[in-house]
Amino acid sequence: MIVVELAIVLLAIWLGARLGGIGIGFAGGLGVLALTLVCGLKPGAIPFDVIEIIMAVIAAIAAMQVAGGMDYLVSLAERLLRRHPRYVTLLAPLVTYTMTLLAGTGHTAFSTLPVIAEVAKEQGVRPSRPLSIAVVASQIAITASPLSAAVVFFASLLEPRGVSYIALLAVAIPSTMIGLFLAALVTNFLGKELHEDEVYQARLAKGEVKLRGASRYQEKPGAKRSVLLFLAGIAAVVLYATAISDGVGLIADPPLPRNEAIVVFMLTIATLIALFCKIDTGAILSASTFKSGMSACVCVMGVAWLGDTFVKAHIGEIQQLAGGLLQQAPWLLAVALFFASMLLYSQAATAKALMPAALLLGVSPHTAVASFAAVSALFVLPTYPTLLAAVEMDDTGSTRIGNYVFNHAFIVPGVLAIVLSVLFGFLIGGVVL
């Protein structure tokens, strides 16, 4: 039966990938239905702790977007890229990484991708280079963001094993930044030069390539204020998490656990933005970040529930099969996380599905932390929203998807960035943990 049940899981994930977007969450629910009613498994746990954090963080980000804060941040990013256009391939991932690190969601990259594409074209740089590594950076940064549901969930698993929330960030942030920087250096030499690309030349001859120039930014009255309030919320989360950690112990008996504190702080920040920036709260529901965030909640709910249902039913077999392998070659955890995230389409869902089982199998916290960046292989199948957006925004045709599905512009930068991030995770983790 385990083969039949695994086939149901994979079929549900395949169907979800075909549907795209929120469809993978729907298909996850269908998979749970088949596993429970047809195969007789007990339903796993719905990851409400992850979902509530995504909802609260997205509420604050959407409020900031309506207040004009996101446009203000994009204008700063554009100013940086246009000031140093030669280094667009190195600066683009820094921009998307930073925005994701602060926001806890990679969907913030949508607003910066058009700027990256335009600056690259103006400099005669192959746009696929900065666009590909920028999309990858927005995905990997989830594993280093203090607000991301994946980090918060993983920290809750590690703390009973002696690794604090701050220690996790102390490994994740530098290892992913170094990995992405080195990957960006290599990406800067990938593919033909733009003027040598046949697809670009054909599009240029047909008049399909256009330069739009710098965008005109009109600042809303509460834009800067909303950004400052949001940054204050992030600082409050990190400081509170530090204060209640066992290592610091400033608050011995915290009135709010860390997960609940993140939710409370983010909802409070959303309230303050609404009050002091005088926004129409009704407009938040139609904000692009709110829509993408709520879609992510459904995706995590369906896919993580599906994975938990299967794993809990066969934890004994999994321990027997994988336990020895992981003890002999701990780095195989990173490989498993890589391929799982490729199918699950969510860092949080992947961490929720595999990390508890890995730690039960005896994987050390050091290995788990070092391998964490591997949950970011969402770029492998060229159907993720930010990846598709990058393809659509590059009218030169350099950021394209090949005939063999996997031969696209994102695969080499992405695999390289994850491998380097994991390697530096092991090195830095050996010092910090």
Side-chain angles (χ1 to χ4, degrees):
M1 282 300 291
I2 191 171
V3 175
V4 174
E5 291 155 11
L6 181 60
I8 289 172
V9 171
L10 295 176
L11 187 61
I13 292 170
W14 174 82
L15 177 61
R18 293 275 297 178
L19 292 172
I22 199 172
I24 195 164
F26 298 162
L30 175 63
V32 173
L33 179 71
L35 289 178
T36 53
L37 295 187
V38 177
C39 301
L41 301 188
K42 290 183 179 179
I46 300 175
F48 286 120
D49 51 347
V50 172
I51 293 168
E52 67 184 8
I53 291 169
I54 296 174
M55 290 178 69
V57 171
I58 288 297
I61 293 172
M64 181 176 67
Q65 181 182 10
V66 172
M70 286 297 295
D71 290 337
Y72 173 67
L73 289 174
V74 172
S75 73
L76 294 180
E78 181 169 6
R79 204 178 307 167
L80 173 67
L81 292 172
R82 291 192 179 282
R83 191 174 295 169
H84 307 284
R86 289 184 181 180
Y87 307 107
V88 63
T89 306
L90 300 178
L91 293 174
L94 176 64
V95 167
T96 55
Y97 181 94
T98 303
M99 291 184 72
T100 301
L101 189 78
L102 296 176
T105 171
H107 292 293
T108 53
F110 281 116
S111 53
T112 57
L113 292 178
V115 177
I116 294 168
E118 288 303 308
V119 172
K121 280 192 298 183
E122 289 169 11
Q123 290 299 306
V125 173
R126 184 180 179 88
S128 64
R129 295 169 180 172
L131 284 172
S132 61
I133 193 65
V135 168
V136 168
S138 71
Q139 296 177 357
I140 292 180
I142 289 291
T143 63
S145 171
L147 293 181
S148 78
V151 166
V152 174
F153 169 74
F154 190 33
S156 69
L157 295 179
L158 292 172
E159 284 182 339
R161 293 169 171 82
V163 178
S164 69
Y165 172 72
I166 299 302
L168 170 58
L169 293 177
V171 176
I173 293 174
S175 62
T176 53
M177 286 189 73
I178 296 169
L180 282 163
F181 177 74
L182 294 176
L185 287 175
V186 176
T187 303
N188 205 30
F189 298 97
L190 294 179
K192 296 179 180 179
E193 295 302 323
L194 186 60
H195 66 274
E196 298 173 348
D197 191 289
E198 297 85 356
V199 175
Y200 168 67
Q201 293 295 340
R203 291 191 177 195
L204 193 64
K206 294 177 184 177
E208 295 175 351
V209 180
K210 297 178 181 178
L211 289 174
R212 300 174 180 83
S215 59
R216 293 182 180 180
Y217 169 64
Q218 292 184 337
E219 186 178 313
K220 290 185 178 180
K224 291 180 182 177
R225 197 177 304 131
S226 69
V227 172
L228 289 173
L229 286 168
F230 188 77
L231 293 177
I234 297 172
V237 167
V238 174
L239 290 173
Y240 184 81
T242 304
I244 67 173
S245 66
D246 293 334
V248 177
L250 288 178
I251 304 175
D253 187 18
L256 276 174
R258 187 190 55 249
N259 289 19
E260 286 76 2
I262 293 174
V263 173
V264 167
F265 287 155
M266 287 296 103
L267 293 179
T268 300
I269 291 302
T271 304
L272 294 176
I273 291 174
L275 287 173
F276 291 107
C277 301
K278 299 177 181 177
I279 63 172
D280 175 13
T281 53
I284 293 174
L285 300 178
S286 57
S288 59
T289 50
F290 186 85
K291 291 177 180 178
S292 62
M294 294 308 109
S295 172
C297 286
V298 175
C299 291
V300 168
M301 178 174 67
V303 173
W305 193 12
L306 174 66
D308 195 66
T309 299
F310 178 78
V311 169
K312 278 187 177 174
H314 299 288
I315 190 64
E317 294 96 321
I318 293 171
Q319 285 177 329
Q320 205 171 27
L321 178 66
L325 281 174
L326 287 175
Q327 286 174 1
Q328 292 174 11
W331 53 269
L332 284 174
L333 175 61
V335 176
L337 293 172
F338 182 95
F339 285 104
S341 63
M342 184 180 92
L343 297 172
L344 295 178
Y345 264 37
S346 165
Q347 294 91 337
T350 304
K352 188 83 178 178
L354 295 189
M355 279 301 192
L359 292 169
L360 283 173
L361 290 170
V363 170
S364 69
H366 177 199
T367 297
V369 171
S371 304
F372 188 39
V375 302
S376 305
L378 283 61
F379 56 83
V380 176
L381 294 174
T383 51
Y384 198 74
T386 48
L387 185 153
L388 292 175
V391 173
E392 290 298 319
M393 290 170 186
D394 181 11
D395 58 8
T396 69
S398 70
T399 313
R400 50 183 178 263
I401 299 169
N403 294 328
Y404 302 104
V405 181
F406 294 102
N407 58 329
H408 53 76
F410 306 85
I411 195 76
V412 173
V415 172
L416 185 60
I418 284 182
V419 169
L420 289 169
S421 296
V422 170
L423 287 175
F424 281 100
F426 275 102
L427 291 174
I428 297 170
V431 176
V432 174
L433 302 179

